């Protein structure tokens, strides 16, 4: 069975994608990719597919499980998982040249499709309402 498993991350959201030989199905938590909520961010999920063309996705099935984070972080994790799984599948089961071509297309458009964003939420400290903000100083 030709299959690869990859993951995408954004903040605390983690999307695990399972890419195998098939007929072009892409499902997120069991639902088709066309029904991703919120619909404003739906194009963000479609970006890797629109960039690479439907023909590259025609012979693979991708199943994605996503949890953690908020709406936007989950969407960004999903798109990264899709992009990384296609690159990994092409590297393992197709050929190096087409994998390099796919990687080039994705990185020139948006590097975060393949490379995770390392920024995390900074923990709150004492003496103030947030991570950096402090109580206002008063002299009278």
């Amino acid at each position: 069975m030709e299959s690869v498993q990859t993951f995408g991350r954004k903040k605390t959201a983690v999307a695990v994608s399972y890419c195998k030989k098939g007929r072009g199905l892409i499902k997120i938590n069991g639902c088709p990719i066309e029904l991703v909520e919120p619909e404003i961010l739906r194009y963000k999920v479609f970006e890797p597919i629109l960039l690479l063309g439907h023909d590259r996705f025609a012979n693979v099935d991708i199943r994605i499980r996503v949890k953690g984070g908020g709406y936007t972080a989950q969407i960004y994790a999903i798109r990264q998982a899709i992009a990384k799984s296609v690159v990994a599948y092409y590297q393992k089961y197709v050929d190096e040249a087409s994998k390099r071509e796919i990687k080039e297309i994705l990185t020139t458009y948006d590097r975060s499709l393949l490379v995770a964003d390392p920024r995390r939420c900074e923990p709150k400290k004492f003496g103030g309402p947030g991570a950096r903000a402090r109580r206002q100083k008063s002299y009278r």
Side-chain angles (χ1 to χ4, degrees), residues 1 49 51 71 88 115 120:
M1 190 74 197
I49 299 153
L51 281 169
Y71 302 122
V115 182
R120 293 288 175 268

Side-chain angles (χ1 to χ4, degrees), residues 54-114:
H54 289 284
D55 53 319
R56 285 206 176 97
F57 287 88
N59 59 350
V60 292
D61 284 354
I62 302 174
R63 286 210 172 81
I64 301 157
R65 292 188 315 273
V66 63
K67 60 180 178 211
Y71 302 122
T72 311
Q74 283 193 352
I75 296 287
Y76 277 87
I78 289 165
R79 74 199 274 263
Q80 190 182 76
I82 291 170
K84 279 170 77 173
S85 67
V86 168
V87 169
Y89 184 86
Y90 270 73
Q91 182 180 15
K92 202 168 177 187
Y93 299 113
V94 188
D95 60 336
E96 194 65 32
S98 60
K99 172 245 172 178
R100 201 172 288 119
E101 185 188 340
I102 288 170
K103 213 168 174 179
E104 194 69 37
I105 293 165
L106 293 171
T107 44
T108 50
Y109 178 75
D110 186 0
R111 192 162 174 268
S112 71
L113 280 168
L114 294 173

